[in-house]
Amino acid sequence: MTDRIRLDGKVALVTGAAGVIGRATITLLAARGARIVAVDCNANALQQAIAALPASAQALAQTADVTQEDQVAGYVRGALDHCGRIDVFYNNAGIEGDITPIVSTSLDAFRRVLDVNVVGVFLGMKHVLPVMLQQRAGSIINTASIAGLIGSNDIVAYTASKHAVIGMTKTAALECGDSGVRVNCVCPGLIDSRMLSAIVEGRNPGPTPVPNERVAERIPLRRLGRADEVASIVAFLASDDASYVSGSAYTVDGGRVAS
Ligand SMILES: NC(=O)c1ccc[n+]([C@@H]2O[C@H](COP(=O)([O-])OP(=O)(O)OC[C@H]3O[C@@H](n4cnc5c(N)ncnc54)[C@H](O)[C@@H]3O)[C@@H](O)[C@H]2O)c1
């Protein structure tokens, strides 16, 4: 079958690129023809992630903390110096924070999650949008979550932050108007990953891990998602096939929020 969603010649800037979803996404975007600029605060994991990419990706790794405006400006400048343009921005870095009920969540822990998941996403758009608006072309994809659509116990800051990502996505799409820049977000559900394991273990402390089948009981497709299934939607939203898609929040959750 012909692969319609090609990204040949496009430059894709990806944050959280060393994580489970970030890695799967840089791998898929590179396989579809994109050049990759990969950003993460974990320098070693980032080097490993880009080492696995094909030479055609001409990958650049940039270690940066997405909560620091000078570092965000720096990774955008680095992408422009290396590639001359930014066609796709996958604004994906995020943390789950403490897994605790509201009454035992510290203010510092709450603020830390908002700092990475909300301020980091805001700063990314603030610094990438001028580049794309000047190009009169580009696609931004933010990573929200189904926790941005429904309540989730024991992760109040995370839930608040992902609701905020959906709101910022819609606002950015409106502000971009007919500029040629589209802004969307993905809302992954329960993806087989370190982050999901941390949340499940935090909610179910004890010596015996909760089996995946039990975690998947309330998912209509009866299984966890895979990171590459999130990456597929990101690749679609990044591509010209999504030319009439903006301001959307795409669930990739096996039907979880439909149930
Ligand atoms: N895993 C899931 O089930 C799931 C579900 C819904 C949404 N998400 C979202 O998907 C995104 C990726 O999650 P993941 O599962 O790959 O998690 P992950 O922990 O594997 O990856 C996150 C990456 O972000 C990086 N990061 C964290 N803070 C940073 C900072 N301040 N600056 C730069 N980089 C930073 C980490 O080093 C890590 O490499 C997150 O936004 C997460 O909230 C994940």
Side-chain angles (χ1 to χ4, degrees), residues 6 8-10 27 29-36 53-59:
R6 294 294 310 174
D8 301 292
K10 291 195 191 287
T27 302
L29 299 183
R32 300 226 166 143
R35 292 172 68 182
I36 302 294
L53 296 176
S56 58
Q58 298 172 44

Side-chain angles (χ1 to χ4, degrees), residues 15-23 39-42 45 64-68 90-96 112 115-117 121 143-147 158 161-162 186-197 199 227 230:
T15 69
V20 175
I21 292 174
R23 264 187 194 231
V39 176
D40 204 285
C41 62
N42 184 335
D65 179 342
V66 299
T67 68
Q68 303 302 310
Y90 184 35
N91 202 3
N92 165 68
I95 58 173
E96 68 276 17
R112 175 71 192 145
D115 210 20
V116 178
N117 296 7
V121 167
T143 302
S145 164
I146 59 168
Y158 186 79
S161 73
K162 296 303 187 180
V186 284
C187 298
L190 307 180
I191 306 302
D192 195 358
S193 63
R194 181 212 61 78
M195 185 178 287
L196 178 64
S197 301
I199 293 171
V230 179

Side-chain angles (χ1 to χ4, degrees), residues 155-205:
I155 45 173
V156 63
Y158 186 79
T159 305
S161 73
K162 296 303 187 180
H163 276 73
V165 171
I166 295 174
M168 289 192 291
T169 300
K170 291 178 178 175
T171 298
L174 294 181
E175 289 183 5
C176 286
D178 67 350
S179 65
V181 180
R182 297 179 293 101
V183 187
N184 293 285
C185 64
V186 284
C187 298
L190 307 180
I191 306 302
D192 195 358
S193 63
R194 181 212 61 78
M195 185 178 287
L196 178 64
S197 301
I199 293 171
V200 172
E201 278 165 32
R203 284 175 176 156
N204 303 277

Side-chain angles (χ1 to χ4, degrees), residues 149 184-188 233 236-237 242 245 248-253:
L149 296 165
N184 293 285
C185 64
V186 284
C187 298
I233 300 302
F236 164 67
L237 293 169
V245 183
S248 292
Y250 267 67
T251 53
V252 190
D253 70 342

